[in-house]
Amino acid sequence: YGFAGSLGLFVDAASPEGGDGSAERPLRDLGAALEYGLSLKRNSPCIGKGKDGANMGADLGTCDPGEPTGRVVHLAAGRYLLAGLTLAHGASILGEGADAAILEGTVWGLRTGATLSGVTVTLGAAGGVVLGSTESPEIASCTIRGNSSHGVYCGERSLATVKDCTISGNSAGAWGGGGVYCLGSPTLTGCVISGNSADLGGGG
């Protein structure tokens, strides 16, 4: 399967409707930039293997075998809601700066090879940034604050890189740590972790 569509998109909360995701005509809605289509690659073993020679799986056309599956979303200043959104298809988000680009909600699904940078993540009810087992993305120059459960959660065998981030004011109850809760072995450099709270391990 492939992540269909443009691999570099621009989003600006102040943009008028009708943008195409280009730098000149950015999308206004982050959700639109993270939409994807499931297409069979031209060399997929599912081509022609269904009943009467039909393709198995999505009937949404094909994409070239060499096409990358990641997507980079360039986020302008503004506030963006994360409810119902995921980065699980290899998407990266590069914000204009932590003081300018605000993500409200939990960042889910950030994958190995992807990047989250230059944003503030806040008001996540299930945590700020939640990384699945074995996923090892980069989180850089972000502010992660005011989230419930934890600021950053790393699943088992995660080797995430977290650098130059401020992780503060996150809180958790009896389960998990308020600042950073890791089952894997992330690398943290240049980070400020302070003012977090939890019944079990506040994480600074």
Side-chain angles (χ1 to χ4, degrees):
Y1 290 98
F3 195 160
S6 175
L7 296 178
L9 291 171
F10 293 81
V11 180
D12 187 342
S15 177
E17 291 283 2
D20 58 9
S22 64
E24 297 77 19
R25 301 180 62 234
L27 297 166
R28 185 166 69 180
D29 179 38
L30 177 58
L34 295 176
E35 288 178 354
Y36 65 94
L38 293 176
S39 300
L40 294 173
K41 292 186 176 181
R42 296 185 195 280
N43 64 347
S44 170
C46 295
I47 298 290
K49 301 300 183 182
K51 184 177 180 180
D52 299 325
N55 293 341
M56 297 175 64
D59 188 18
L60 298 172
T62 58
C63 58
D64 291 329
E67 287 184 12
T69 56
R71 175 173 294 187
V72 177
V73 177
H74 301 272
L75 210 58
R79 301 184 81 87
Y80 303 88
L81 299 179
L82 289 173
L85 302 181
T86 180
L87 308 182
H89 298 279
S92 295
I93 294 181
L94 310 183
E96 196 167 296
D99 293 334
I102 314 297
L103 299 177
E104 295 187 354
T106 301
V107 176
W108 295 102
L110 197 61
R111 291 291 182 89
T112 299
T115 299
L116 178 71
S117 71
V119 298
T120 287
V121 180
T122 189
L123 302 180
V129 181
V130 177
L131 305 180
S133 296
T134 74
E135 299 297 347
S136 302
E138 179 179 273
I139 304 169
S141 303
C142 292
T143 296
I144 302 169
R145 59 173 169 78
N147 299 286
S148 299
S149 190
H150 34 255
V152 176
Y153 172 87
C154 300
E156 293 182 5
R157 301 185 303 284
S158 171
L159 301 175
T161 299
V162 184
K163 63 181 184 181
D164 302 325
C165 291
T166 299
I167 303 170
S168 63
N170 303 286
S171 61
W175 188 89
V180 179
Y181 186 84
C182 295
L183 300 176
S185 299
T187 299
L188 284 79
T189 58
C191 294
V192 176
I193 304 173
S194 64
N196 302 287
S197 64
D199 293 346
L200 178 61

